[in-house]
Amino acid sequence: MSTTAPTGVPDGPATAGTGLAARPVEPVAATGSRVAAALQRNGVAAFAALALLVLVGSVLWPSFHTLDNVRNTVLGNSYIGIVAIGMTLVIITGGIDLSVGSVFALGGVVGVYVSNQAGPVAAVLATIVACGLIGLINGMLIGYARMAPFIVTLATLFGVRGLVYQLTGAGARTYSVPSDSFFAHLGTGVLLTIGYPVLIAIALYVVFHVVLERTPFGLTTLAIGGGEDAAVLMGLKVRRTKVSLYVVSAALAGVAGMLQAAQLVSASPIIATGYELQAIAAVVIGGTLLTGGAGSLIGTAAGVLLLGTINAFIRELQLDSTWNNVVSGAFLVTVVVVQRLLNYRRAD
Amino acid sequence: MAELTTAGALPVLEARGVSKSFPGVKALSDVSITVRAGEVHALVGENGAGKSTLIKILTGVYQCDSGELRHRGEPVTFADPRAAQAAGISTIYQELDLVPMQSAARNLYLGREPRTRLRLVDFARMRREANALLDDYQIRADVDVPLNTLGLGTQQMISVARAVALHANVVIMDEPTSSLESREVETLFGIIRRLRSEGVAIVYVSHRLDELYRICDTVSVLRDGRLVHTGPMAELPRVQLVATMLGRELQTALHRSAPGGGDRIVAGPPVLELRGLTRRNRLHDVSLEVHRGEVVGLGGLLGAGRSETGMAVLGAQELDSGAVLVEGKPIRTGSPGAAIEAGVALLPEDRKLEGILPNLSIRDNIAIAALPRMSRLGLVSDKRIDQLVEHFMARLHIRATGPGQKVSTLSGGNQQKVMLARWLCLSPRVLVLDEPTRGIDVGAKFEVRQTIDELAAEGLAVLLISSETEELVDESDRIVVLKDGAVVAVLDGDDISEHDLVQAIAAVPSPEEDPTRD
């Protein structure tokens, strides 16, 4: 996605001018590797791999690209997809949010509980507030107290999971909603045969894509990852932006957890263990640099779908599902190696 | 350029009695400077003089401990860089102030992006305005590609464009020409003159004396955190400026100090030979020779290319052309390993950053570099290490409770000796010392110098880099003076006096020389 459309180009800098002005611009990196790196970062590479996988699958198994199959894969991955939005933004700043899996579980419990007490609207609000608060703690410690994101969110990973166990009496109390309630409908409902969670995920991707690519907030996010000191010296609101992003990440994880609980009509304290790592994998496969400064939500969407399709592939091969992680891991390593190679070539 | 009288102009930015301390260091004490509208104010001083701290206070990165800032006559406090920018003070830092992975257009407008009616960033307009801005200042660059794909000079010019586009009333430039080529310097000077004529106050930090005299109206000199001079640039002769920066009284520096080493053996072919070292914007055709038992001093102001030359000897500085020869054999450039193998040892300028392992013992610090050579099948005999460490601790008079003492608990002078011992374990033939006595007390300085004398007397070829003219004059058999990356003078034998050295560093062009030489 080019953000600077070639329309509206003025007639370019005057080529006449004095001796000083007429000096040609000297690009340091070769155009080829620059294009390759750009494609990789914008998720084009992930989409290409996804398309290839779907194509191969369709040739091998007639049922592979049937609507039902696609629908199930997309629905099943919409939750992790929502989590990966926040993870992308946090990683672009050079940070990480390990707490999303636990916050996901918290979102489910809070959503179901409040829905039973006070109805669906309160449930959604309470989930966003409760989980956003966890994000606020992460963000304040990282942004203002300048603690390492890895440590802070590792602490909340444990802390929030513990909190969820507390709330559910270590799983003794099950929180469930009537399957005909409006809240359950959030997870189970369909519009034009597409599940609500999928529609919500798509809407969130569109909104946050625009936020990242087209707002000062998004540009600040990219600038922080590209050079935090520079961003501070430019007078950008670095701390506030970081705090906001951890709040967004936690709130999105909570909403995703709430939606899945609605679909399952109950909240489980053990759900989403390891989701943080899956989300990170999807983000990286989508081309976002783990070191920050560059990345896109389109890429992340491709990364999520790619990982989901790998799972579907393995199901079709009738391999043991434990192979999922092996193949996903291999993919992740490949992507990281390719990123590395592209960056080396650029640095020459 | 028309002469502008700035004395009567309005003070835009003032620091009054500003002091700032960091743990263990008094960075600024009671510094007052006044920057007026339409003046280019040079801020000069050697490393550690307090320039950076002062700039950071003026731009809100740091807050002063005491004293006050006045902006257009009103007392102000800048809580952060944002506040200073909002007041119209923009800064071009030497580095770090742009985001390398983003395009030039985005860098120019980060924080004040043009918006569409939907409050989204208007990239088309941003791009148009960026092009217009760069054209206006005759800076030529592709505004769409990531900044790190452009040359360093172009990046620096974009940084300048960002600063001036903020409609600032004060523009602070911290070594803006350090990565510019001479054509780009001309473009920058054009911009500065234009800003001056528009009534903008400019604070200009540079070590390049030629530039200071060409572009600046006023000069303030900092030394050891104090303001030691302020006044019109044209009224301060070059030699006087250098003497003020270095803190040497010209009169007392006239007589020659006795050479410290006594009878040194200077014979045979050179152990170290540099042939025409050249690196774009850094080094220009630097050649010198160091013989066995000889100490060659490398003088010049900060940024003159001294450390770069030292790093080149170690193979850690990339070269465009030129060769480093040790005992007549060229060593592969770009590889410190090969240089160390050939017998080069370098004591870096900042021992805290580059080499000392503060939490380890003296023994471990000394032995670490020698371990690969002493090991058999990957194992090292403790006894051999102990012998080696004891030998060097005695030889360099390292004062400590024992080899097990943690290095962080040693004095600066003894830390420096530990670093020296580490390299001496490798039995080098060439020793490069970059500011070996910086930051250590007077007594320890004397001891480190004595050690240098002894090492030279034992036959090492020593290249001594120092900002202290007295140290160079005392220690060196010969002094090579660098300026803007090129050799401008070689002082030999009886010529060596601090007065000559200061003259050479100031590079006062002699009448027969073309003063406009670049």
Side-chain angles (χ1 to χ4, degrees):
Chain A
M1 266 301 281
S2 166
T3 47
T4 45
T7 53
V9 186
D11 32 15
T15 40
T18 64
L20 335 160
R23 202 158 62 85
V25 181
E26 13 157 354
V28 172
T31 321
S33 69
R34 221 164 69 200
V35 170
L39 289 181
Q40 203 271 334
R41 278 189 201 151
N42 288 324
V44 174
F47 266 119
L50 176 63
L52 190 71
L53 213 57
V54 171
L55 195 73
V56 172
S58 307
V59 170
L60 290 178
W61 310 288
S63 69
F64 193 77
H65 70 294
T66 56
L67 264 176
D68 271 351
N69 215 338
V70 171
R71 205 178 282 143
N72 285 337
T73 303
V74 173
L75 179 65
N77 286 286
S78 57
Y79 311 110
I80 192 79
I82 294 172
V83 173
I85 294 174
M87 188 67 82
T88 306
L89 299 176
V90 166
I91 287 179
I92 285 176
T93 65
I96 197 105
D97 188 352
L98 298 178
S99 68
V100 288
S102 302
V103 173
F104 188 99
L106 179 70
V109 171
V110 170
V112 169
Y113 179 80
V114 177
S115 155
N116 286 337
Q117 303 292 320
V121 177
V124 173
L125 290 177
T127 303
I128 291 175
V129 169
C131 296
L133 214 57
I134 305 293
L136 188 66
I137 295 170
N138 284 337
M140 296 299 274
L141 289 174
I142 292 161
Y144 286 87
R146 300 186 138 258
M147 292 171 66
F150 190 96
I151 301 301
V152 171
T153 59
L154 184 64
T156 36
L157 177 155
F158 287 122
V160 172
R161 182 67 69 179
L163 185 68
V164 172
Y165 278 120
Q166 278 295 322
L167 290 173
T168 59
R173 281 191 297 279
T174 34
Y175 287 86
S176 53
V177 278
S179 57
D180 57 352
S181 67
F182 188 85
F183 181 77
H185 198 62
L186 278 178
T188 54
V190 288
L191 180 72
L192 302 170
T193 76
I194 303 169
Y196 281 180
V198 177
L199 295 174
I200 292 171
I202 291 172
L204 288 170
Y205 267 93
V206 170
V207 167
F208 281 99
H209 172 75
V210 172
V211 167
L212 179 64
E213 304 285 340
R214 298 297 303 262
T215 66
F217 180 82
L219 300 195
T220 302
T221 302
L222 284 157
I224 292 172
E228 189 168 338
D229 293 330
V232 171
L233 293 176
M234 280 183 178
L236 304 179
K237 294 171 187 159
V238 171
R239 286 179 297 195
R240 203 182 304 173
T241 305
K242 278 182 161 183
V243 174
S244 311
L245 290 171
Y246 283 93
V247 172
V248 164
S249 174
L252 287 173
V255 166
M258 180 195 75
L259 289 174
Q260 190 170 41
Q263 192 210 351
L264 302 172
V265 298
S266 75
S268 155
I270 57 159
I271 207 162
T273 309
Y275 259 34
E276 60 282 347
L277 301 180
Q278 282 191 45
I280 294 168
V283 169
V284 172
I285 286 172
T288 296
L289 289 183
L290 207 43
T291 45
S296 74
L297 284 168
I298 295 178
T300 297
V304 170
L305 292 175
L306 186 57
L307 286 179
T309 309
I310 290 172
N311 290 359
F313 217 84
I314 283 163
R315 258 198 319 277
E316 291 288 347
L317 281 171
Q318 297 185 331
L319 285 172
D320 192 278
S321 66
T322 45
W323 281 99
N324 278 347
N325 289 344
V326 177
V327 177
S328 302
F331 230 94
L332 192 58
V333 168
T334 311
V335 168
V336 173
V337 168
V338 168
Q339 276 187 356
R340 193 79 212 198
L341 290 176
L342 288 172
N343 280 334
Y344 269 136
R345 283 178 59 191
R346 283 160 59 78
D348 277 347
Chain B
M1 199 63 216
E3 280 298 310
L4 282 166
T5 332
T6 54
L10 219 61
V12 183
L13 188 62
E14 286 172 90
R16 290 192 179 179
V18 164
S19 297
K20 176 77 183 172
S21 295
F22 296 105
V25 196
K26 182 106 182 166
L28 284 180
S29 35
D30 195 25
V31 171
S32 299
I33 71 163
T34 303
V35 188
R36 293 169 193 282
E39 104 178 331
V40 183
H41 195 124
L43 188 60
V44 299
E46 277 293 271
N47 228 348
K51 294 178 313 252
S52 309
T53 310
L54 181 58
I55 289 175
K56 285 181 173 162
I57 286 172
L58 294 178
T59 56
V61 178
Y62 297 154
Q63 284 71 45
C64 50
D65 299 336
S66 61
E68 68 166 5
L69 294 185
R70 280 170 177 260
H71 183 241
R72 294 174 155 164
E74 299 293 319
V76 285
T77 44
F78 298 132
D80 52 31
R82 202 179 165 74
Q85 275 176 32
I89 298 167
S90 63
T91 315
I92 301 155
Y93 294 94
Q94 222 172 327
E95 50 205 13
L96 284 179
D97 65 339
L98 295 176
V99 183
M101 275 186 274
Q102 305 279 324
S103 71
R106 286 188 181 203
N107 269 293
L108 285 170
Y109 289 96
L110 261 171
R112 49 187 192 94
E113 297 87 353
R115 311 272 196 102
T116 62
R117 261 173 308 163
L118 292 170
R119 306 299 297 146
L120 298 178
V121 177
D122 188 342
F123 283 106
R125 202 172 114 206
M126 182 191 278
R127 196 169 180 277
R128 216 161 43 230
E129 288 180 5
N131 271 319
L133 177 72
L134 294 187
D135 272 1
D136 190 22
Y137 287 104
Q138 304 203 330
I139 300 162
R140 203 148 145 69
D142 184 340
V143 299
D144 295 326
V145 299
L147 210 62
N148 56 8
T149 61
L150 299 172
L152 266 184
T154 312
Q155 292 186 36
Q156 184 73 0
M157 293 311 287
I158 286 164
S159 178
V160 171
R162 179 181 161 94
V164 301
L166 294 168
H167 303 293
N169 46 56
V170 180
V171 177
I172 299 174
M173 301 185 175
D174 189 358
E175 300 223 34
T177 56
S178 58
S179 47
L180 297 187
E181 289 181 50
S182 48
R183 271 176 308 192
E184 292 166 326
V185 171
E186 293 311 317
T187 311
L188 175 71
F189 281 8
I191 295 172
I192 291 177
R193 290 190 186 107
R194 182 167 146 186
L195 291 173
R196 176 164 63 184
S197 68
E198 288 165 2
V200 175
I202 292 143
V203 177
Y204 191 90
V205 179
S206 178
H207 296 284
R208 300 188 178 174
L209 298 184
D210 295 338
E211 289 176 7
L212 295 179
Y213 281 96
R214 276 187 59 197
I215 199 77
C216 297
D217 307 306
T218 316
V219 59
S220 290
V221 184
L222 290 177
R223 193 177 67 235
D224 301 331
R226 292 171 186 283
L227 182 74
V228 290
H229 175 89
T230 187
M233 191 83 225
E235 290 173 17
L236 185 68
R238 265 171 191 252
V239 177
Q240 192 68 46
L241 172 61
V242 172
T244 313
M245 281 168 68
L246 300 178
R248 311 304 305 168
E249 288 300 327
L250 280 182
Q251 285 70 24
T252 60
L254 276 171
H255 64 86
R256 192 199 170 200
S257 324
D263 307 318
R264 284 174 183 162
I265 327 132
V266 180
V271 179
L272 172 69
E273 189 182 351
L274 310 184
R275 279 191 198 156
L277 304 186
T278 300
R279 171 71 183 169
R280 190 164 161 253
N281 289 337
R282 294 275 183 254
L283 296 174
H284 306 287
D285 196 21
V286 174
S287 299
L288 59 84
E289 292 180 356
V290 189
H291 292 82
R292 199 175 132 77
E294 195 180 31
V295 178
V296 171
L298 206 51
L301 294 174
L302 192 72
R306 294 171 312 184
S307 293
E308 286 83 352
T309 305
M311 294 306 261
V313 175
L314 191 69
Q317 167 80 48
E318 297 221 15
L319 293 175
D320 296 327
S321 63
V324 176
L325 292 87
V326 175
E327 309 217 304
K329 283 193 283 285
I331 54 175
R332 198 151 47 91
T333 54
S335 155
I340 292 169
E341 198 66 37
V344 176
L346 180 132
L347 197 61
E349 183 175 356
D350 189 336
R351 58 179 178 272
K352 289 216 175 61
L353 280 181
E354 305 172 51
I356 205 108
L357 307 165
N359 292 320
L360 293 186
S361 64
I362 296 176
R363 179 181 182 275
D364 292 343
N365 265 284
I366 291 180
I368 195 159
L371 286 179
R373 290 193 186 183
M374 289 166 55
S375 64
R376 293 221 177 96
L377 302 170
L379 298 173
V380 188
S381 141
D382 267 357
K383 213 168 130 198
R384 283 188 63 200
I385 296 181
D386 289 337
Q387 284 170 353
L388 187 81
V389 170
E390 265 168 48
H391 170 72
F392 281 107
M393 283 184 69
R395 181 171 159 198
L396 299 181
H397 317 290
I398 295 173
R399 264 190 303 277
T401 54
Q405 190 177 346
K406 264 203 337 190
V407 164
S408 58
T409 61
L410 295 177
S411 70
N414 279 304
Q415 286 189 5
Q416 193 65 300
K417 287 190 208 165
V418 169
M419 286 294 287
L420 204 52
R422 179 193 291 175
W423 291 111
L424 294 177
C425 286
L426 302 177
S427 6
R429 285 181 282 254
V430 176
L431 186 60
V432 182
L433 303 168
D434 196 350
E435 302 282 4
T437 63
R438 165 163 300 147
I440 61 183
D441 61 62
V442 179
K445 270 184 188 178
F446 179 74
E447 276 191 27
V448 170
R449 287 187 196 172
Q450 210 169 28
T451 309
I452 297 171
D453 287 340
E454 285 170 23
L455 292 171
E458 286 167 26
L460 246 76
V462 179
L463 186 62
L464 172 68
I465 301 170
S466 179
S467 309
E468 293 186 37
T469 49
E470 183 208 343
E471 180 167 291
L472 283 176
V473 169
D474 273 359
E475 287 302 307
S476 311
D477 299 300
R478 203 143 34 84
I479 301 177
V480 176
V481 180
L482 296 180
K483 181 172 170 271
D484 295 343
V487 177
V488 288
V490 179
L491 309 178
D492 211 340
D494 295 336
D495 290 348
I496 301 185
S497 75
E498 276 197 79
H499 179 258
D500 290 344
L501 180 55
V502 170
Q503 289 271 359
I505 290 172
V508 183
S510 47
E512 61 267 31
E513 258 182 285
D514 180 9
T516 58
R517 187 188 60 92
D518 244 313

